[in-house]
Amino acid sequence: NELGRWETTEHVLPVPGLEAPMRVLHLSDVHLRGEEPWVDALLGALAAACAASPPDAVVITGDVVARGVDYLRRNACIF
């Protein structure tokens, strides 16, 4: 069961012309759905991890949400 687990990897990519390092958080295939309490707990844990090491940008790809676009808009701000 992968519920509530995620893998963290760090890659350093030099970008010519970029004055300072940029941290990018990439979330993929999160599959947020339903009104289960675990969804809010997972979002809270991800937000806490981001607060500890804040990204400059967040990129979300894959199967993200089955609750609808309005839900995604309301909750994207935690990152």
Side-chain angles (χ1 to χ4, degrees), residues 10-16 18 21-22:
E10 185 171 324
H11 302 277
V12 178
L13 218 57
V15 178
L18 191 61
M22 182 177 182

Side-chain angles (χ1 to χ4, degrees), residues 17-78:
L18 191 61
E19 294 180 17
M22 182 177 182
R23 296 182 57 82
V24 177
L25 171 64
H26 176 219
L27 299 174
S28 181
D29 297 299
V30 180
H31 297 277
L32 300 177
R33 61 187 173 275
E35 294 296 328
E36 296 92 352
W38 65 265
V39 173
D40 292 331
L42 177 61
L43 285 174
L46 283 170
C50 288
S53 185
D56 297 302
V58 178
V59 177
I60 303 174
T61 62
D63 300 334
V64 177
V65 65
R67 288 188 183 186
V69 174
D70 290 335
Y71 176 83
L72 184 59
R73 284 188 187 126
R74 283 193 311 272
N75 289 283
C77 65
I78 67 172

